[in-house]
Amino acid sequence: SGKWCVLSGIYSPDKGVTINGVIQLYSVEQKVDQKIDGFAPCFADLPLLAPNVKNNVIVLIGKKSTDVNGSLLVLEVGTPSDPTQKIKRKQMFQSAPDVGAADFPVLNYISEKNGLAFIISKSGYLYVHELYTGFMICRTRISSDLIFAACKHSESDGMLCVSRKGVVQLVTVDKDNIVNYIRTQCPHIADSVGVAFKMAKFCGLPGAEQLFSCLLYTSDAADEGLGVDLGGRRIIK
């Protein structure tokens, strides 16, 4: 909308042992800013409460210097039509156990057509969170090298990533199966059925009525130069 700007950076208080992030959110209209401790902010405009009403949100990983784990934050910016329903969602963002606190998010892309956040860390891990409750639905390593740049893939509304060695990968979802994947393969989401149906309704995705499970292939995706496709397919790039 051009009404908000965001600037993010990182710093280390102990010569690289730990990395902290800081975000500056600025309102163009009100000419005021807000500091947030965290990483990888990204604006999005998508329906999260009603199918035909879009919410202007910022999605980021909030983490104070004293926190062990960060949190995925979905925060509505500006004033919604109904102030009593202003979105403020928070779920744990837990780094992979083999990298722990040494890893931190560097890239974030919101797939507005699918209601998903694709987050990539310094160590090459991909974290996928659905935005209706904020829970993580996938965590997998897609590169052993630093992924330093990413952009939107318009055809799939996925994320094109480039590693330090020049490997290009596409991260996207299988739209025919992602709804059933969430419904049947995400028991950590208390209302996985509700989230799946909301995603199907809000995003126009098929599969809410099906009763089959979907597989998630992740192994060797980075080494083979393949894209990771949630829902059971691999996309060769």
Side-chain angles (χ1 to χ4, degrees):
S1 63
K3 297 180 180 180
W4 296 87
C5 300
V6 67
L7 178 68
S8 65
I10 60 174
Y11 68 96
S12 175
D14 47 20
K15 298 182 180 180
V17 177
T18 58
I19 301 294
N20 298 328
V22 62
I23 296 168
Q24 183 181 19
L25 179 64
Y26 179 75
S27 170
V28 176
E29 291 183 330
Q30 300 180 18
K31 295 182 172 56
V32 295
D33 67 328
Q34 178 183 355
K35 177 188 172 185
I36 305 172
D37 293 318
F39 302 89
C42 185
F43 290 113
D45 192 25
L46 73 167
L48 292 175
L49 297 176
N52 299 317
V53 180
K54 290 187 176 181
N55 304 98
N56 189 207
V57 298
I58 184 169
V59 182
L60 58 97
I61 293 79
K63 185 179 182 183
K64 297 180 180 179
S65 58
T66 55
D67 292 341
V68 176
N69 292 306
S71 299
L72 180 92
L73 301 178
V74 183
L75 308 173
E76 191 158 11
V77 292
T79 303
S81 56
D82 184 356
T84 64
Q85 295 191 19
K86 190 169 185 176
I87 295 172
K88 186 177 182 180
R89 294 172 183 167
K90 179 179 180 180
Q91 294 292 348
M92 180 179 291
F93 181 86
Q94 191 167 8
S95 296
D98 60 323
V99 291
D103 201 17
F104 58 93
V106 294
L107 297 168
N108 183 5
Y109 170 70
I110 307 303
S111 174
E112 295 179 345
K113 294 181 180 178
N114 300 301
L116 299 171
F118 298 131
I119 301 159
I120 294 180
S121 72
K122 174 179 175 291
S123 298
Y125 269 92
L126 167 69
Y127 301 82
V128 183
H129 285 249
E130 51 81 16
L131 298 180
Y132 300 99
T133 60
F135 277 105
M136 181 175 66
I137 63 171
C138 172
R139 181 181 66 195
T140 184
R141 198 168 203 166
I142 63 172
S143 177
S144 56
D145 297 301
L146 173 67
I147 295 176
F148 69 93
C151 66
K152 176 180 180 178
H153 182 253
S154 298
E155 183 179 346
S156 66
D157 198 34
M159 185 183 195
L160 278 172
C161 312
V162 184
S163 75
R164 185 164 49 187
K165 289 187 177 180
V167 176
V168 178
Q169 297 182 85
L170 170 63
V171 179
T172 184
V173 294
D174 182 345
K175 295 183 178 182
D176 291 332
N177 290 320
I178 184 62
V179 168
N180 276 290
Y181 172 79
I182 291 176
R183 184 175 62 84
T184 61
Q185 303 298 311
C186 296
H188 58 287
I189 301 177
D191 185 22
S192 60
V193 173
V195 171
F197 273 86
K198 184 174 287 188
M199 179 178 288
K201 183 178 180 180
F202 286 22
C203 301
L205 298 173
E209 71 287 351
Q210 301 299 321
L211 297 175
F212 62 88
S213 299
C214 306
L215 300 176
L216 173 64
Y217 293 105
T218 58
S219 61
D220 302 324
D223 294 339
E224 297 175 14
L226 303 176
V228 175
D229 189 358
L230 300 180
R233 297 186 303 174
R234 292 177 174 182
I235 295 181
I236 300 176
K237 292 292 170 185

